Amino acid sequence: MSNVPVNPKPVPEINAHSKPYWDGAQRGELMIQRCRGTGKAFTYARCWSPYDFSPDPAWEKASGRGTVFSYTIVYQPPYAAFKADCPFVMAIIQLDEGPQMMSNILHCDPESVRIGMKVKLCFETRSGGFKIPQFEPA
Amino acid sequence: MKPLAAIVAVSEMKPGRYPQYNGMEMYRQVIAQFLREWPALRPTDISGLLSAPAGMASADGTDVFAHEKISEELGIEPSFSETINAGGCTYALMLVRASLAIERGLCDSVLCLGAGRFPNVGSGMAEMMSKLISHPEFEYPYGTYIPPIFALNATRHMHEFGTTREQLAQVAVSQREWSLLHPDALMAPQGRLSIDKVLSSRPIAYPFNLLDCSVPSEGGSAVLVVSPKIAKRYAKKPCYLFGFGEKHTHSSISQAHDLTTLGSRETSAQAYRMAGVGPGDMDFAQLYDSFSINPIIYAEDLGLCPKGKGGAFFAGGRTAPGGEFPVNTYGGLMSFGHVGDASGQTMIVEAARQIMGIAGGERQLKKADLGVVHCYGGMMSEHATLVLGSQA
C-alpha cells in the first residue's frame, strides 16, 4: 500500500484508434503517423490524414529526438496529483520528424530549459506501471 | 459604411461570486437587471434570442436548452433562436449570427445573453477543466491547465521578439487604471498597480505571476441587437456593427501552427475590409485579456502596432486613461473580472457603451466613433473581430 500514491498522476483513456500509440509507449517507443497520400508525418493519433483525408495513416517509430518549441515552468499545480512535481516544465516539443507534441521535460533543473534546446525521448511510469512518453535534455 | 446591425441596449451584472445561483438563475439575474435598466422594452420587441449553455463548466451541469427555457420565461416565441458555444468567442459570434439573421429577414431583433462561471481553483473541477481545455488523451497527462497553456504563447513571444516581463506587467498596470473608473470592477478596491507589484506577486507559470492573470469570477450580460432600420426607435445613438471576421484554427495548443501570430490576423483583416476601414481609423480597442500576453499579441495581429512591437505598445501608459490609444477601457478581464466565457460579451457591452456615449464619468472617451473588439474562445483557438461605430 505504501507504494501507491495518494493522488496518482493521470493516465489517458485510450481509444481504439490510438492503441498503437500507447502500445508503442509500453514497449519504450514513440509512435507517429504518416499520411499515405502526401507522405507527411503528424501527431496525434487519428483515423484519417488531416492533409488529404486518406484513411488508415501508417504508423512508424519516431527517432525520439526533438527541440523545445516553447515551455513554461509551472509553480502552482493544476491539482493535487502534480503538487509534488512543482516546479515542473510543460513544453511543446518539435520532433525531428516535424510534428509537435505536448510533454514535460524531466531530469533537469526547470530553470535551465530554453527554447531551441535539444531533447530526447524518455518515459515516466505512472500508476499500474503505465508508461507515458516524456522528454529530457539530449 | 453600411451598418449590418445595431446594438441599442446593454447591461451587465457586477462580477463576483454568486454561489446561491445555479446556471439558469444566473440568467434570470442578468435578464431582471436588463429589464430594470431598459424599462420600455416589451416581449414584442424581441423576435430572436441567442444564449450560451447555462451553467457552463459548473458542478451542477451544463444545459444546452437554455434558449428555449429563457424564451418561455420571457414570454416570447422567437423566429430565430439557439444555444451556441465557442467559449469566449461566443458573444462576438452571436452578434455575427444575429446580423446575418436580421439581414435575411428571419427576425428584426435578437437578445444575446451570457452568464458565465469560473470554477474556484482547486474546487475538484480542475481535472475536468483540464480535459476540456486541452487534448484529453495527448495533453492532459502532462498536467495542462489554463495559465501554463497561455504561458507557452508568452515564452515564445519573448523568444521571438524580445518581449519582457516588465512589458507584460505594464498591460496589467494599464488595465487596473481603467478599472478604477468603473463602478463594478472587481479589482478596483485593490487600488493602483505598479510593474514591481506585478513582478513581485507569486509565480504561477513562467513568465506569469499572479497579477499577470485575470481574476476568475462569475457574472453575465445582455445585448439587444436590432435591424439598423429600426435602431433609432430604441436608442438616440445606437452602436452599429460595420464588419466582422471569424476563424477557428485549432483546439489543442500543441497543434497550433503558430504561437505568436494567431487567427486574429485573418479575422481583423476581414473585419476591416468589410467595414471599409483600417486599424488607423480606430479610436479604441477592447482585446480579450485572460493573461497579460494576450492583448500584446492582439494589438499586433489587429494592426494597431507592427508584429513584435506589442510589448512597447502598452509601455508608458500609452493604453491607459489619458494615453494615446485606449485599450480595455473597463479594466479588462484582469481587473474588471473574468466572468467565464461571458467575458466575451463584457467587451461588447463596454464598446457599445463607449460608442453610445453612456459609459459615464471619466471613463467615457471623448472620441469613440469607431472601435475594434477582439474575442477568442478556447486556448486562443477560436477568433472573432468586430468593427463597431456610431455613424450609420
Side-chain angles (χ1 to χ4, degrees):
Chain A
M1 274 306 284
S2 62
N3 290 333
V4 180
V6 180
N7 289 293
K9 287 164 72 178
V11 292
E13 287 170 36
I14 300 169
N15 291 289
H17 77 280
S18 60
K19 196 167 176 295
Y21 178 83
W22 295 111
D23 284 350
Q26 305 323 300
R27 294 192 305 270
E29 295 174 351
L30 178 68
M31 302 299 287
I32 58 172
Q33 282 176 297
R34 202 170 283 280
C35 166
R36 292 183 192 276
T38 65
K40 290 187 200 170
F42 60 89
T43 55
Y44 43 78
R46 288 176 224 208
C47 302
W48 51 80
S49 163
Y51 298 111
D52 66 358
F53 293 168
S54 58
D56 189 28
W59 284 100
E60 66 182 44
K61 182 185 163 185
S63 67
R65 302 257 158 196
T67 307
V68 176
F69 184 75
S70 194
Y71 75 97
T72 177
I73 306 169
V74 181
Y75 293 94
Q76 176 175 298
Y79 38 88
F82 282 89
K83 201 171 175 185
D85 288 16
C86 281
F88 68 92
V89 176
M90 202 180 101
I92 297 176
I93 306 300
Q94 179 148 39
L95 302 176
D96 280 4
E97 288 81 1
Q100 297 183 338
M101 63 181 282
M102 184 65 78
S103 185
N104 302 125
I105 300 181
L106 306 181
H107 312 136
C108 65
D109 172 9
E111 308 241 347
S112 70
V113 172
R114 294 287 178 271
I115 289 175
M117 192 170 119
K118 298 286 179 198
V119 289
K120 65 180 185 344
L121 180 69
C122 63
F123 288 88
E124 180 187 354
T125 304
R126 298 216 174 151
S127 49
F130 191 85
K131 286 185 190 167
I132 305 271
Q134 289 282 21
F135 283 82
E136 62 185 358
Chain B
M1 288 197 299
K2 180 180 176 284
L4 309 168
I7 296 172
V8 293
V10 297
S11 81
E12 169 116 24
M13 267 175 91
K14 185 177 170 64
R17 285 291 182 190
Y18 298 98
Q20 69 274 36
Y21 303 143
N22 63 21
M24 275 305 293
E25 191 62 23
M26 285 291 285
Y27 268 125
R28 292 185 190 102
Q29 296 297 321
V30 166
I31 293 163
Q33 180 177 338
F34 178 71
L35 296 177
R36 276 197 306 277
E37 290 182 22
W38 302 90
L41 292 173
R42 294 293 175 268
T44 47
D45 292 311
I46 301 168
S47 54
L49 185 136
L50 293 172
S51 65
M56 279 250 287
S58 66
D60 50 319
T62 298
D63 187 349
V64 296
F65 289 103
H67 63 290
E68 60 173 54
K69 289 172 181 155
I70 295 166
S71 292
E72 183 178 273
E73 287 197 24
L74 276 168
I76 63 170
E77 296 181 8
S79 51
F80 170 72
S81 186
E82 59 188 324
T83 292
I84 66 171
N85 173 47
C89 204
T90 302
Y91 307 90
L93 296 185
M94 282 184 183
L95 203 47
V96 170
R97 306 293 186 266
S99 76
L100 296 172
I102 289 168
E103 190 195 0
R104 293 300 304 235
L106 301 181
C107 56
D108 54 19
S109 66
V110 181
L111 181 60
C112 301
L113 295 168
R117 293 216 109 111
F118 225 107
N120 278 307
V121 175
S123 64
M125 297 287 289
E127 282 101 327
M128 190 216 80
M129 278 294 280
S130 175
K131 288 186 210 175
L132 201 63
I133 54 92
S134 59
H135 198 292
E137 191 173 349
F138 299 102
E139 293 187 331
Y140 162 65
Y142 299 101
T144 46
Y145 75 110
I146 297 174
I149 290 177
F150 286 82
L152 295 168
N153 296 89
T155 313
R156 186 74 199 176
H157 200 277
M158 293 165 78
H159 172 78
E160 286 183 21
F161 305 115
T163 305
T164 65
R165 294 188 73 180
E166 287 74 14
Q167 289 173 330
L168 293 173
Q170 182 68 59
V171 174
V173 171
S174 166
Q175 299 188 168
R176 179 63 60 82
E177 295 292 313
W178 280 112
S179 78
L180 300 177
L181 306 178
H182 197 302
D184 289 339
L186 202 58
M187 296 305 279
Q190 310 279 324
R192 306 182 72 177
L193 274 182
S194 64
I195 291 175
D196 283 348
K197 268 191 193 168
V198 179
L199 295 182
S200 59
S201 58
R202 82 185 153 85
I204 302 294
Y206 175 85
F208 298 148
N209 288 357
L210 184 67
L211 292 171
D212 285 292
C213 307
S214 54
V215 191
S217 61
E218 295 160 4
S221 57
V223 169
L224 181 62
V225 185
V226 305
S227 163
K229 290 179 198 141
I230 60 170
K232 289 280 171 80
R233 261 192 242 164
Y234 294 94
K236 269 190 291 204
K237 194 179 177 194
C239 166
Y240 294 101
L241 172 69
F242 290 111
F244 58 78
E246 172 177 349
K247 183 79 179 176
H248 309 260
T249 55
H250 61 279
S251 174
S252 323
I253 187 72
S254 58
Q255 294 288 318
H257 297 301
D258 198 329
L259 295 178
T260 55
T261 295
L262 308 176
S264 32
R265 187 169 64 176
E266 202 172 316
T267 57
S268 59
Q270 187 189 330
Y272 294 139
R273 195 163 55 239
M274 195 183 292
V277 297
D281 298 315
M282 299 300 122
D283 296 320
F284 66 87
Q286 313 291 353
L287 309 173
Y288 205 101
D289 59 321
S290 298
F291 297 93
S292 52
I293 186 63
N294 309 9
I296 290 178
I297 294 177
Y298 293 132
E300 297 168 358
D301 279 359
L302 268 59
L304 303 171
C305 66
K307 185 45 76 182
K309 302 291 183 196
F313 183 75
F314 284 88
R318 280 193 74 249
T319 60
E324 288 164 56
F325 189 83
V327 176
N328 292 346
T329 53
Y330 63 106
L333 282 64
M334 295 176 69
S335 272
F336 177 79
H338 188 167
V339 296
D341 60 292
S343 283
Q345 190 156 264
T346 307
M347 310 169 64
I348 296 169
V349 167
E350 174 66 8
R353 282 179 173 154
Q354 290 290 351
I355 288 166
M356 294 167 79
I358 56 172
E362 280 181 73
R363 198 168 101 247
Q364 178 64 51
L365 300 172
K366 290 194 175 60
K367 188 168 185 296
D369 298 333
L370 265 180
V372 63
V373 175
H374 186 81
C375 301
Y376 68 80
M379 302 298 101
M380 297 206 276
S381 41
E382 322 197 62
H383 293 272
T385 307
L386 306 171
V387 173
L388 302 169
S390 58
Q391 295 299 316

